[in-house]
Every structure is written in C-alpha cells, then in structure tokens.
Amino acid sequence: MAISQLTLDECDLNILRTLQEDARLTTKELAAKVNLSTTPVFERLKKLEKAGYIKKYVAILDAEKLNLGFEVFCSVKLKQMSRDVANNFVNVIKDIPQVRECYNVSGEFDYILKINAPNMKVYNEFVINVLGTVDSIGSIQSTFVMNEIKHSYSLNL
C-alpha cells in the first residue's frame, strides 16, 4: 500500500492514542494495552512510522527543574514581507537554539516564537544580543507566561 493511501483504522488510532500517553512502552506492552498480539502491533508501528504519522519519540523535560521555566511568546513583525526576507528570517530562526517553536501567523504579526529562559534578565539579553541582530525584524512584542493552565502534547484522536 502506498504511503499516501494509508487509511487508519480504529486499531491504528488506538495504538497512536496509547503511544501519546507513554512512548516508552515495549511492543509487547503496547500490544497488551491495545489487545493485539506483538507481531501485528510491530507491523502497524512500522507502517505508521514510515507513513509519517509518528514523527519522533521524545522525552518531555521539566523546564522549571532545568532553570528554563521563564516562558515567553515573542511576536515578530518583519520590516517587509517578501519571499527572500521571509526565507532569510526562517533560516536564521531555525539556527537559534533558544527558540523552541516558531509559527508563521496571520494578523498584526508575521511570526510567533516560543522561547524559554532562566529569567527576565537573560531573556532581555537574548532580545538585544540575538534577536536584535536579525536585520529583517521590524518589531517584536513579548508576552510572558504567568501561569500554565493547560498544556497537552496529545492530539485528540
């Protein structure tokens, strides 16, 4: 079956739901949770990985414990919008390790960056010494997270 023609059945969705809760499950443990034998689960996993439904297996770290709990959404407006300016900005942002996420958005701003830092002072230095060197940025607006109400890595399948 070609990758583009992959149709997910309820069993595939159940595997994906279960993996979203605990990606460290062995194939045997996963098979027990989804009520299948090990071989079909292994084959379905490989099919889901190859088709791109499973992008990556990761550990979710605690930013607070790692002294990176100061979270900021930084809205960026470019000086001008053109393909070359946008591509240049995207290439620069991809290489900045402090930027955890970057979204091209509609509205008043062109991009939203998600950044973690130890504190306001370090974030301020980042804005001046890193973002301040990106020529294509016209303006930024920082929104500081005061309290996380809901955060989920799971998709509602």
Side-chain angles (χ1 to χ4, degrees):
M1 176 177 284
I3 291 174
S4 61
Q5 297 174 354
L6 183 61
T7 302
L8 301 181
D9 62 17
E10 189 57 36
C11 187
D12 292 321
L13 292 172
N14 198 16
I15 288 170
L16 292 173
R17 284 185 203 104
T18 304
L19 283 175
Q20 285 188 126
E21 295 302 315
D22 186 358
R24 292 186 65 188
L25 293 172
T26 65
T27 305
K28 184 177 180 180
E29 292 167 332
L30 180 58
K33 288 192 179 273
V34 298
N35 297 316
L36 277 179
S37 61
T38 304
T39 301
V41 168
F42 178 80
E43 290 169 357
R44 284 174 180 264
L45 268 177
K46 292 301 163 202
K47 176 183 75 170
L48 291 166
E49 289 169 356
K50 183 176 181 183
Y53 287 92
I54 300 171
K55 289 182 170 185
K56 180 191 277 191
Y57 298 93
V58 299
I60 300 167
L61 307 179
D62 187 318
E64 284 287 334
K65 289 184 179 182
L66 294 166
N67 193 31
L68 291 168
F70 187 73
E71 193 162 52
V72 183
F73 290 95
C74 180
S75 301
V76 174
K77 182 153 188 71
L78 300 181
K79 288 180 182 174
Q80 67 178 40
M81 182 52 83
S82 71
R83 181 179 18 212
D84 290 341
V85 171
N87 286 339
N88 183 348
F89 174 79
V90 167
N91 289 332
V92 168
I93 290 302
K94 285 180 178 180
D95 290 335
I96 300 174
Q98 295 93 330
V99 177
R100 293 186 48 221
E101 299 174 30
C102 176
Y103 302 95
N104 180 218
V105 295
S106 64
E108 184 178 342
F109 293 94
D110 300 312
Y111 295 90
I112 295 178
L113 313 177
K114 184 176 180 182
I115 299 158
N116 283 74
N119 54 48
M120 174 71 83
K121 182 177 187 221
V122 172
Y123 175 71
N124 185 50
E125 291 169 1
F126 168 77
V127 168
I128 293 167
N129 299 320
V130 179
L131 292 182
T133 66
V134 181
D135 290 333
S136 57
I137 294 179
S139 65
I140 66 168
Q141 178 178 309
S142 299
T143 304
F144 307 105
V145 175
M146 295 180 0
N147 189 21
E148 184 178 283
I149 307 304
K150 180 179 179 181
H151 187 136
S152 176
Y153 294 99
S154 299
L155 297 175
N156 186 20
L157 302 178

